[in-house]
Amino acid sequence: MFFAGDFCSKPSASRITVSSDLKELILSCDFKVVNFEVPLKPENVHLPAQKRERFFQHDDTPDFLRELGFNLFQLANNHTFDWGEEGFKKTKAVLGDASFGAGSYEEAYKIKIVEKNGLKIGFMSLSFAAYTGVFDDVTNHEGLGCAYINDLRVNHDIIRAKKQVDYLFVLPHDGIEYIDIPMPETIARYRDFIDYGADGVIGTHPHCPQGWEVYKDKPIFYSLGNFLFNSKEGYDYRAWNRPHWYEGLCVKMNLSKDNLSWEIINTRNINNVEIAIDNNEGRIVHNNLLCSYLNDEELYNNCLLTISKDHSNNDIRRIKRMFIPTNTKEAIKAMWESLRGAKPQSKEELRYLLKNDLKRSRLARTIFNL
């Protein structure tokens, strides 16, 4: 099996090339899994403006990925419903049964099972509580959405699924973006999945590689980073302030009746038009550093403290701006919104900050020095 991270290409994927050695490696595997991060854009659908951009990818992206060899597509993520239910329906219709992790409530939590050489392999795709499109309200199972990582049914589903398959892999889309380490809550939850019966955990969402560990003889990869992610109109945009945005991890899993082994493949997105294996020695050094955080408690805690303070202080400043205008312009805007009965976007920001389990915990850790 071959696992790749987040994929999005808003411009046509027709200009993207893949190095011959990487393509050969992908095609050599029976099952190839990728996180289809962003939906296709539906025709003649107009949604209200929002502060957060609605992402979509080019209609030729599915064919590009299928020609590359991918035959399994994760859909439980924070962008799947960027273009509402119509965008999801279009995406699902194109990807078909090869996609999993979203749909009706029961469809979202259904285990995807494949079979090869007498082995049954199951996959469970999960997402954190995003702005919209995740079944994170335990009282509401109506409509369409993605499977929620912290729904307690997930624990029971893993136990049940493990009785049906030889191997079970949990594919969570969670974590804090752009940082080198997973949060303590992420580590605990991903280890939970192993405790309940999963044979491996392969994470996405932070948009940069994070470390990996072996827990009870099972692998946990906290973030594969981006396989390729370009949500802009053209190919020239560069995420200059995200140093590891263009670096990805891929995992090749070898399964037999009695054994599971794996190898790591470093990849690089070159100018948004090429994906290649990255043999740079610096990547190995960086990977070792990422893994060392997970094996050295003092090193991890020092890194966590710095990250929590930096990120939470930014959140605190945002919250203050929501309720305490810092200048005349902000005060007039707040008064105007109040007079016309508009729903300030700041309330949506605060709601999202508080409903996101990891960001809420990170904020509390900083405020109360937990």
Side-chain angles (χ1 to χ4, degrees):
M1 299 191 303
F2 186 90
F3 293 92
D6 301 327
F7 192 93
C8 168
S9 182
K10 189 173 184 178
S12 171
S14 61
R15 282 187 57 185
I16 302 172
T17 62
V18 178
S19 63
S20 58
D21 52 353
L22 178 56
K23 188 170 185 177
E24 182 179 343
L25 178 61
I26 297 172
L27 290 172
S28 72
C29 298
D30 296 300
F31 300 109
K32 288 79 72 171
V33 188
V34 66
N35 178 43
F36 199 84
E37 173 88 3
V38 174
L40 305 176
K41 186 177 179 180
E43 303 295 330
N44 302 317
V45 171
H46 303 283
L47 298 176
Q50 60 179 27
K51 186 168 184 177
R52 175 177 158 275
E53 182 182 356
R54 298 183 190 277
F55 291 164
F56 65 90
Q57 44 188 328
H58 199 280
D59 283 351
D60 64 13
T61 300
D63 284 341
F64 167 81
L65 290 170
R66 280 190 286 241
E67 288 173 10
L68 189 53
F70 287 99
N71 51 16
L72 291 168
F73 302 92
Q74 300 168 234
L75 288 184
N77 63 65
N78 58 308
H79 288 291
T80 288
F81 284 87
D82 272 13
W83 284 88
E85 293 193 356
E86 292 305 312
F88 167 75
K89 289 176 181 177
K90 177 178 178 179
T91 305
K92 183 68 177 177
V94 172
L95 297 178
D97 291 339
S99 60
F100 56 99
S104 68
Y105 183 75
E106 290 304 325
E107 287 172 337
Y109 289 93
K110 184 178 180 180
I111 307 299
K112 176 65 178 177
I113 298 177
V114 297
E115 189 169 358
K116 183 73 177 182
N117 296 334
L119 290 179
K120 284 188 176 180
I121 306 160
F123 303 91
M124 176 185 284
S125 179
L126 306 168
S127 176
F128 70 96
Y131 274 99
T132 58
V134 177
F135 288 112
D136 57 306
D137 183 348
V138 296
T139 66
N140 183 13
H141 298 163
E142 301 300 317
L144 302 175
C146 301
Y148 175 45
I149 187 172
N150 288 328
D151 190 325
L152 292 181
R153 72 163 287 171
V154 169
N155 306 341
H156 303 284
D157 287 348
I158 291 174
I159 294 171
R160 283 193 293 267
K162 185 55 182 172
K163 296 176 181 178
Q164 305 172 39
V165 299
D166 298 290
Y167 288 98
L168 177 65
F169 294 94
V170 177
L171 313 177
H173 192 77
D174 196 15
I176 301 295
E177 294 173 308
Y178 321 128
I179 65 173
D180 287 341
I181 61 171
M183 292 290 101
E185 294 81 4
T186 302
I187 295 174
R189 187 61 174 139
Y190 289 14
R191 289 178 177 177
D192 266 353
F193 297 144
I194 301 296
D195 289 337
Y196 281 106
D199 295 288
V201 180
I202 297 102
T204 55
H205 177 62
H207 293 299
C208 62
Q210 292 180 344
W212 59 89
E213 66 174 341
V214 178
Y215 174 70
K216 295 186 176 178
D217 298 324
K218 307 292 175 63
I220 300 177
F221 295 89
Y222 286 98
S223 173
L224 298 186
N226 294 327
F227 192 50
L228 183 144
F229 200 103
N230 179 15
S231 60
K232 306 305 177 183
E233 291 287 351
Y235 303 93
D236 297 330
Y237 175 80
R238 299 292 178 268
W240 60 270
N241 59 339
R242 310 294 182 202
H244 303 294
W245 181 269
Y246 296 99
E247 300 169 3
L249 295 178
C250 293
V251 181
K252 182 183 178 183
M253 290 276 185
N254 302 298
L255 308 181
S256 67
K257 196 69 177 177
D258 304 309
N259 185 56
L260 181 155
S261 62
W262 59 88
E263 58 183 286
I264 311 300
I265 300 96
N266 293 314
T267 62
R268 181 171 294 277
N269 164 11
I270 304 170
N271 299 326
N272 291 320
V273 293
E274 182 181 357
I275 310 172
I277 292 178
D278 187 355
N279 292 316
N280 188 293
E281 185 67 25
R283 289 294 303 278
I284 298 174
V285 173
H286 184 63
N287 287 346
N288 290 337
L289 174 63
L290 296 178
C291 293
S292 69
Y293 287 125
L294 300 172
N295 296 317
D296 186 319
E297 184 176 357
E298 182 178 359
L299 190 65
Y300 175 83
N301 286 333
N302 288 338
C303 184
L304 176 65
L305 181 62
T306 300
I307 288 171
S308 294
K309 282 185 175 179
D310 289 346
H311 284 249
S312 295
N313 285 338
N314 287 334
D315 290 337
I316 291 169
R317 283 193 291 270
R318 287 168 58 200
I319 292 171
K320 284 182 177 179
R321 287 198 300 270
M322 293 174 194
F323 299 101
I324 307 173
T326 58
N327 55 49
T328 304
K329 183 179 179 181
E330 288 185 3
I332 293 173
K333 180 180 178 182
M335 182 174 63
W336 172 247
E337 287 180 334
S338 177
L339 288 172
R340 70 188 182 94
K343 188 175 184 181
Q345 288 184 330
S346 59
K347 288 186 178 180
E348 283 299 298
E349 283 190 67
L350 180 60
R351 185 179 71 85
Y352 174 65
L353 179 62
L354 294 178
K355 75 178 284 196
N356 185 311
D357 303 309
L358 290 180
K359 290 188 176 183
R360 187 176 64 249
S361 297
R362 183 189 65 193
L363 186 62
R365 185 179 293 110
T366 302
I367 294 175
F368 300 108
N369 197 27
L370 297 177

mmCIF file with all atom_site columns, all heavy atoms in Angstrom, residues 11 15 67 85 92 95 115 139 154 170 173 182 219 271 317 322 329:
data_model
loop_
_atom_site.group_PDB
_atom_site.id
_atom_site.type_symbol
_atom_site.label_atom_id
_atom_site.label_alt_id
_atom_site.label_comp_id
_atom_site.label_asym_id
_atom_site.label_entity_id
_atom_site.label_seq_id
_atom_site.pdbx_PDB_ins_code
_atom_site.Cartn_x
_atom_site.Cartn_y
_atom_site.Cartn_z
_atom_site.occupancy
_atom_site.B_iso_or_equiv
_atom_site.pdbx_formal_charge
_atom_site.auth_seq_id
_atom_site.auth_comp_id
_atom_site.auth_asym_id
_atom_site.auth_atom_id
_atom_site.pdbx_PDB_model_num
ATOM 1   N N   . PRO A 1 11  ? -5.325  25.086  -10.263 1.00 0.00 ? 11  PRO A N   1
ATOM 2   C CA  . PRO A 1 11  ? -5.066  25.116  -11.718 1.00 0.00 ? 11  PRO A CA  1
ATOM 3   C C   . PRO A 1 11  ? -5.123  23.695  -12.278 1.00 0.00 ? 11  PRO A C   1
ATOM 4   O O   . PRO A 1 11  ? -5.038  22.719  -11.529 1.00 0.00 ? 11  PRO A O   1
ATOM 5   C CB  . PRO A 1 11  ? -3.651  25.687  -11.812 1.00 0.00 ? 11  PRO A CB  1
ATOM 6   C CG  . PRO A 1 11  ? -3.304  26.200  -10.462 1.00 0.00 ? 11  PRO A CG  1
ATOM 7   C CD  . PRO A 1 11  ? -4.123  25.427  -9.495  1.00 0.00 ? 11  PRO A CD  1
ATOM 8   N N   . ARG A 1 15  ? -0.446  20.126  -16.117 1.00 0.00 ? 15  ARG A N   1
ATOM 9   C CA  . ARG A 1 15  ? 0.950   20.568  -16.162 1.00 0.00 ? 15  ARG A CA  1
ATOM 10  C C   . ARG A 1 15  ? 1.825   19.896  -15.109 1.00 0.00 ? 15  ARG A C   1
ATOM 11  O O   . ARG A 1 15  ? 3.037   20.066  -15.101 1.00 0.00 ? 15  ARG A O   1
ATOM 12  C CB  . ARG A 1 15  ? 1.027   22.091  -15.974 1.00 0.00 ? 15  ARG A CB  1
ATOM 13  C CG  . ARG A 1 15  ? 0.664   22.885  -17.228 1.00 0.00 ? 15  ARG A CG  1
ATOM 14  C CD  . ARG A 1 15  ? 0.916   24.369  -17.032 1.00 0.00 ? 15  ARG A CD  1
ATOM 15  N NE  . ARG A 1 15  ? 2.303   24.655  -16.651 1.00 0.00 ? 15  ARG A NE  1
ATOM 16  C CZ  . ARG A 1 15  ? 2.745   25.861  -16.322 1.00 0.00 ? 15  ARG A CZ  1
ATOM 17  N NH1 . ARG A 1 15  ? 1.917   26.903  -16.336 1.00 0.00 ? 15  ARG A NH1 1
ATOM 18  N NH2 . ARG A 1 15  ? 4.013   26.054  -15.994 1.00 0.00 ? 15  ARG A NH2 1
ATOM 19  N N   . GLU A 1 67  ? -4.706  8.303   -12.926 1.00 0.00 ? 67  GLU A N   1
ATOM 20  C CA  . GLU A 1 67  ? -3.663  7.900   -13.873 1.00 0.00 ? 67  GLU A CA  1
ATOM 21  C C   . GLU A 1 67  ? -2.329  7.668   -13.176 1.00 0.00 ? 67  GLU A C   1
ATOM 22  O O   . GLU A 1 67  ? -1.528  6.837   -13.602 1.00 0.00 ? 67  GLU A O   1
ATOM 23  C CB  . GLU A 1 67  ? -3.514  8.970   -14.955 1.00 0.00 ? 67  GLU A CB  1
ATOM 24  C CG  . GLU A 1 67  ? -4.683  9.004   -15.935 1.00 0.00 ? 67  GLU A CG  1
ATOM 25  C CD  . GLU A 1 67  ? -4.609  10.183  -16.890 1.00 0.00 ? 67  GLU A CD  1
ATOM 26  O OE1 . GLU A 1 67  ? -3.553  10.852  -16.917 1.00 0.00 ? 67  GLU A OE1 1
ATOM 27  O OE2 . GLU A 1 67  ? -5.600  10.430  -17.597 1.00 0.00 ? 67  GLU A OE2 1
ATOM 28  N N   . GLU A 1 85  ? -23.238 21.061  -0.040  1.00 0.00 ? 85  GLU A N   1
ATOM 29  C CA  . GLU A 1 85  ? -23.593 19.684  -0.382  1.00 0.00 ? 85  GLU A CA  1
ATOM 30  C C   . GLU A 1 85  ? -23.485 19.437  -1.881  1.00 0.00 ? 85  GLU A C   1
ATOM 31  O O   . GLU A 1 85  ? -23.155 18.328  -2.300  1.00 0.00 ? 85  GLU A O   1
ATOM 32  C CB  . GLU A 1 85  ? -25.002 19.371  0.119   1.00 0.00 ? 85  GLU A CB  1
ATOM 33  C CG  . GLU A 1 85  ? -25.097 19.340  1.638   1.00 0.00 ? 85  GLU A CG  1
ATOM 34  C CD  . GLU A 1 85  ? -26.381 18.744  2.149   1.00 0.00 ? 85  GLU A CD  1
ATOM 35  O OE1 . GLU A 1 85  ? -27.262 18.410  1.315   1.00 0.00 ? 85  GLU A OE1 1
ATOM 36  O OE2 . GLU A 1 85  ? -26.528 18.589  3.375   1.00 0.00 ? 85  GLU A OE2 1
ATOM 37  N N   . LYS A 1 92  ? -18.155 13.387  -4.996  1.00 0.00 ? 92  LYS A N   1
ATOM 38  C CA  . LYS A 1 92  ? -18.454 11.986  -4.711  1.00 0.00 ? 92  LYS A CA  1
ATOM 39  C C   . LYS A 1 92  ? -18.845 11.241  -5.976  1.00 0.00 ? 92  LYS A C   1
ATOM 40  O O   . LYS A 1 92  ? -18.451 10.079  -6.174  1.00 0.00 ? 92  LYS A O   1
ATOM 41  C CB  . LYS A 1 92  ? -19.580 11.904  -3.670  1.00 0.00 ? 92  LYS A CB  1
ATOM 42  C CG  . LYS A 1 92  ? -19.943 10.496  -3.235  1.00 0.00 ? 92  LYS A CG  1
ATOM 43  C CD  . LYS A 1 92  ? -18.823 9.847   -2.437  1.00 0.00 ? 92  LYS A CD  1
ATOM 44  C CE  . LYS A 1 92  ? -19.245 8.465   -1.942  1.00 0.00 ? 92  LYS A CE  1
ATOM 45  N NZ  . LYS A 1 92  ? -18.150 7.776   -1.219  1.00 0.00 ? 92  LYS A NZ  1
ATOM 46  N N   . LEU A 1 95  ? -15.553 10.530  -7.879  1.00 0.00 ? 95  LEU A N   1
ATOM 47  C CA  . LEU A 1 95  ? -14.643 9.580   -7.221  1.00 0.00 ? 95  LEU A CA  1
ATOM 48  C C   . LEU A 1 95  ? -15.304 8.232   -6.943  1.00 0.00 ? 95  LEU A C   1
ATOM 49  O O   . LEU A 1 95  ? -14.621 7.213   -6.830  1.00 0.00 ? 95  LEU A O   1
ATOM 50  C CB  . LEU A 1 95  ? -14.119 10.179  -5.911  1.00 0.00 ? 95  LEU A CB  1
ATOM 51  C CG  . LEU A 1 95  ? -13.270 11.442  -6.047  1.00 0.00 ? 95  LEU A CG  1
ATOM 52  C CD1 . LEU A 1 95  ? -12.869 11.961  -4.662  1.00 0.00 ? 95  LEU A CD1 1
ATOM 53  C CD2 . LEU A 1 95  ? -12.029 11.191  -6.897  1.00 0.00 ? 95  LEU A CD2 1
ATOM 54  N N   . GLU A 1 115 ? -9.746  -5.987  -0.516  1.00 0.00 ? 115 GLU A N   1
ATOM 55  C CA  . GLU A 1 115 ? -9.216  -7.330  -0.312  1.00 0.00 ? 115 GLU A CA  1
ATOM 56  C C   . GLU A 1 115 ? -8.185  -7.643  -1.381  1.00 0.00 ? 115 GLU A C   1
ATOM 57  O O   . GLU A 1 115 ? -8.344  -7.308  -2.554  1.00 0.00 ? 115 GLU A O   1
ATOM 58  C CB  . GLU A 1 115 ? -10.349 -8.353  -0.349  1.00 0.00 ? 115 GLU A CB  1
ATOM 59  C CG  . GLU A 1 115 ? -9.923  -9.751  0.075   1.00 0.00 ? 115 GLU A CG  1
ATOM 60  C CD  . GLU A 1 115 ? -11.109 -10.676 0.286   1.00 0.00 ? 115 GLU A CD  1
ATOM 61  O OE1 . GLU A 1 115 ? -12.265 -10.219 0.139   1.00 0.00 ? 115 GLU A OE1 1
ATOM 62  O OE2 . GLU A 1 115 ? -10.878 -11.872 0.592   1.00 0.00 ? 115 GLU A OE2 1
ATOM 63  N N   . THR A 1 139 ? -26.163 15.646  18.616  1.00 0.00 ? 139 THR A N   1
ATOM 64  C CA  . THR A 1 139 ? -27.627 15.624  18.580  1.00 0.00 ? 139 THR A CA  1
ATOM 65  C C   . THR A 1 139 ? -28.178 15.726  17.168  1.00 0.00 ? 139 THR A C   1
ATOM 66  O O   . THR A 1 139 ? -29.385 15.622  16.973  1.00 0.00 ? 139 THR A O   1
ATOM 67  C CB  . THR A 1 139 ? -28.201 16.792  19.410  1.00 0.00 ? 139 THR A CB  1
ATOM 68  O OG1 . THR A 1 139 ? -27.857 18.038  18.779  1.00 0.00 ? 139 THR A OG1 1
ATOM 69  C CG2 . THR A 1 139 ? -27.654 16.770  20.823  1.00 0.00 ? 139 THR A CG2 1
ATOM 70  N N   . VAL A 1 154 ? -16.635 6.166   17.233  1.00 0.00 ? 154 VAL A N   1
ATOM 71  C CA  . VAL A 1 154 ? -15.415 5.769   16.531  1.00 0.00 ? 154 VAL A CA  1
ATOM 72  C C   . VAL A 1 154 ? -14.708 4.647   17.279  1.00 0.00 ? 154 VAL A C   1
ATOM 73  O O   . VAL A 1 154 ? -14.233 3.674   16.674  1.00 0.00 ? 154 VAL A O   1
ATOM 74  C CB  . VAL A 1 154 ? -14.473 6.980   16.346  1.00 0.00 ? 154 VAL A CB  1
ATOM 75  C CG1 . VAL A 1 154 ? -13.101 6.537   15.858  1.00 0.00 ? 154 VAL A CG1 1
ATOM 76  C CG2 . VAL A 1 154 ? -15.082 7.989   15.383  1.00 0.00 ? 154 VAL A CG2 1
ATOM 77  N N   . VAL A 1 170 ? -6.468  3.768   10.539  1.00 0.00 ? 170 VAL A N   1
ATOM 78  C CA  . VAL A 1 170 ? -7.229  4.980   10.823  1.00 0.00 ? 170 VAL A CA  1
ATOM 79  C C   . VAL A 1 170 ? -6.491  6.161   10.199  1.00 0.00 ? 170 VAL A C   1
ATOM 80  O O   . VAL A 1 170 ? -5.274  6.315   10.388  1.00 0.00 ? 170 VAL A O   1
ATOM 81  C CB  . VAL A 1 170 ? -7.417  5.184   12.339  1.00 0.00 ? 170 VAL A CB  1
ATOM 82  C CG1 . VAL A 1 170 ? -8.152  6.490   12.616  1.00 0.00 ? 170 VAL A CG1 1
ATOM 83  C CG2 . VAL A 1 170 ? -8.188  4.012   12.937  1.00 0.00 ? 170 VAL A CG2 1
ATOM 84  N N   . HIS A 1 173 ? -7.679  13.389  10.002  1.00 0.00 ? 173 HIS A N   1
ATOM 85  C CA  . HIS A 1 173 ? -7.317  14.711  9.477   1.00 0.00 ? 173 HIS A CA  1
ATOM 86  C C   . HIS A 1 173 ? -7.465  15.668  10.650  1.00 0.00 ? 173 HIS A C   1
ATOM 87  O O   . HIS A 1 173 ? -8.554  16.161  10.946  1.00 0.00 ? 173 HIS A O   1
ATOM 88  C CB  . HIS A 1 173 ? -8.263  15.086  8.328   1.00 0.00 ? 173 HIS A CB  1
ATOM 89  C CG  . HIS A 1 173 ? -7.804  16.266  7.538   1.00 0.00 ? 173 HIS A CG  1
ATOM 90  N ND1 . HIS A 1 173 ? -6.800  16.195  6.602   1.00 0.00 ? 173 HIS A ND1 1
ATOM 91  C CD2 . HIS A 1 173 ? -8.210  17.568  7.539   1.00 0.00 ? 173 HIS A CD2 1
ATOM 92  C CE1 . HIS A 1 173 ? -6.621  17.378  6.044   1.00 0.00 ? 173 HIS A CE1 1
ATOM 93  N NE2 . HIS A 1 173 ? -7.464  18.238  6.612   1.00 0.00 ? 173 HIS A NE2 1
ATOM 94  N N   . PRO A 1 182 ? 2.922   17.150  17.104  1.00 0.00 ? 182 PRO A N   1
ATOM 95  C CA  . PRO A 1 182 ? 1.497   17.004  17.419  1.00 0.00 ? 182 PRO A CA  1
ATOM 96  C C   . PRO A 1 182 ? 1.228   17.471  18.841  1.00 0.00 ? 182 PRO A C   1
ATOM 97  O O   . PRO A 1 182 ? 2.112   17.429  19.702  1.00 0.00 ? 182 PRO A O   1
ATOM 98  C CB  . PRO A 1 182 ? 1.263   15.493  17.279  1.00 0.00 ? 182 PRO A CB  1
ATOM 99  C CG  . PRO A 1 182 ? 2.596   14.875  17.605  1.00 0.00 ? 182 PRO A CG  1
ATOM 100 C CD  . PRO A 1 182 ? 3.630   15.850  17.113  1.00 0.00 ? 182 PRO A CD  1
ATOM 101 N N   . PRO A 1 219 ? 2.660   1.489   13.780  1.00 0.00 ? 219 PRO A N   1
ATOM 102 C CA  . PRO A 1 219 ? 3.146   2.815   13.398  1.00 0.00 ? 219 PRO A CA  1
ATOM 103 C C   . PRO A 1 219 ? 2.079   3.905   13.535  1.00 0.00 ? 219 PRO A C   1
ATOM 104 O O   . PRO A 1 219 ? 0.911   3.692   13.215  1.00 0.00 ? 219 PRO A O   1
ATOM 105 C CB  . PRO A 1 219 ? 3.530   2.626   11.930  1.00 0.00 ? 219 PRO A CB  1
ATOM 106 C CG  . PRO A 1 219 ? 2.568   1.577   11.438  1.00 0.00 ? 219 PRO A CG  1
ATOM 107 C CD  . PRO A 1 219 ? 2.344   0.643   12.606  1.00 0.00 ? 219 PRO A CD  1
ATOM 108 N N   . ASN A 1 271 ? 7.809   23.864  -7.554  1.00 0.00 ? 271 ASN A N   1
ATOM 109 C CA  . ASN A 1 271 ? 7.152   24.947  -8.321  1.00 0.00 ? 271 ASN A CA  1
ATOM 110 C C   . ASN A 1 271 ? 5.707   24.645  -8.704  1.00 0.00 ? 271 ASN A C   1
ATOM 111 O O   . ASN A 1 271 ? 5.207   25.150  -9.709  1.00 0.00 ? 271 ASN A O   1
ATOM 112 C CB  . ASN A 1 271 ? 7.967   25.271  -9.579  1.00 0.00 ? 271 ASN A CB  1
ATOM 113 C CG  . ASN A 1 271 ? 9.372   25.760  -9.250  1.00 0.00 ? 271 ASN A CG  1
ATOM 114 O OD1 . ASN A 1 271 ? 9.576   26.427  -8.236  1.00 0.00 ? 271 ASN A OD1 1
ATOM 115 N ND2 . ASN A 1 271 ? 10.322  25.402  -10.089 1.00 0.00 ? 271 ASN A ND2 1
ATOM 116 N N   . ARG A 1 317 ? -5.104  37.763  21.124  1.00 0.00 ? 317 ARG A N   1
ATOM 117 C CA  . ARG A 1 317 ? -5.188  39.076  20.470  1.00 0.00 ? 317 ARG A CA  1
ATOM 118 C C   . ARG A 1 317 ? -6.405  39.151  19.551  1.00 0.00 ? 317 ARG A C   1
ATOM 119 O O   . ARG A 1 317 ? -7.086  40.171  19.485  1.00 0.00 ? 317 ARG A O   1
ATOM 120 C CB  . ARG A 1 317 ? -3.905  39.353  19.691  1.00 0.00 ? 317 ARG A CB  1
ATOM 121 C CG  . ARG A 1 317 ? -2.725  39.772  20.570  1.00 0.00 ? 317 ARG A CG  1
ATOM 122 C CD  . ARG A 1 317 ? -1.591  40.332  19.738  1.00 0.00 ? 317 ARG A CD  1
ATOM 123 N NE  . ARG A 1 317 ? -0.950  39.298  18.930  1.00 0.00 ? 317 ARG A NE  1
ATOM 124 C CZ  . ARG A 1 317 ? 0.092   38.560  19.354  1.00 0.00 ? 317 ARG A CZ  1
ATOM 125 N NH1 . ARG A 1 317 ? 0.589   38.756  20.564  1.00 0.00 ? 317 ARG A NH1 1
ATOM 126 N NH2 . ARG A 1 317 ? 0.616   37.646  18.573  1.00 0.00 ? 317 ARG A NH2 1
ATOM 127 N N   . MET A 1 322 ? -12.108 41.107  18.800  1.00 0.00 ? 322 MET A N   1
ATOM 128 C CA  . MET A 1 322 ? -13.524 40.822  18.552  1.00 0.00 ? 322 MET A CA  1
ATOM 129 C C   . MET A 1 322 ? -14.423 41.650  19.463  1.00 0.00 ? 322 MET A C   1
ATOM 130 O O   . MET A 1 322 ? -15.509 42.077  19.076  1.00 0.00 ? 322 MET A O   1
ATOM 131 C CB  . MET A 1 322 ? -13.805 39.329  18.791  1.00 0.00 ? 322 MET A CB  1
ATOM 132 C CG  . MET A 1 322 ? -13.139 38.391  17.801  1.00 0.00 ? 322 MET A CG  1
ATOM 133 S SD  . MET A 1 322 ? -13.417 36.678  18.291  1.00 0.00 ? 322 MET A SD  1
ATOM 134 C CE  . MET A 1 322 ? -12.211 35.817  17.270  1.00 0.00 ? 322 MET A CE  1
ATOM 135 N N   . LYS A 1 329 ? -12.015 53.200  13.818  1.00 0.00 ? 329 LYS A N   1
ATOM 136 C CA  . LYS A 1 329 ? -12.581 52.471  12.691  1.00 0.00 ? 329 LYS A CA  1
ATOM 137 C C   . LYS A 1 329 ? -13.248 51.179  13.146  1.00 0.00 ? 329 LYS A C   1
ATOM 138 O O   . LYS A 1 329 ? -14.369 50.851  12.722  1.00 0.00 ? 329 LYS A O   1
ATOM 139 C CB  . LYS A 1 329 ? -11.488 52.176  11.662  1.00 0.00 ? 329 LYS A CB  1
ATOM 140 C CG  . LYS A 1 329 ? -11.991 51.467  10.415  1.00 0.00 ? 329 LYS A CG  1
ATOM 141 C CD  . LYS A 1 329 ? -10.846 51.240  9.437   1.00 0.00 ? 329 LYS A CD  1
ATOM 142 C CE  . LYS A 1 329 ? -11.354 50.497  8.193   1.00 0.00 ? 329 LYS A CE  1
ATOM 143 N NZ  . LYS A 1 329 ? -10.244 50.250  7.230   1.00 0.00 ? 329 LYS A NZ  1
#
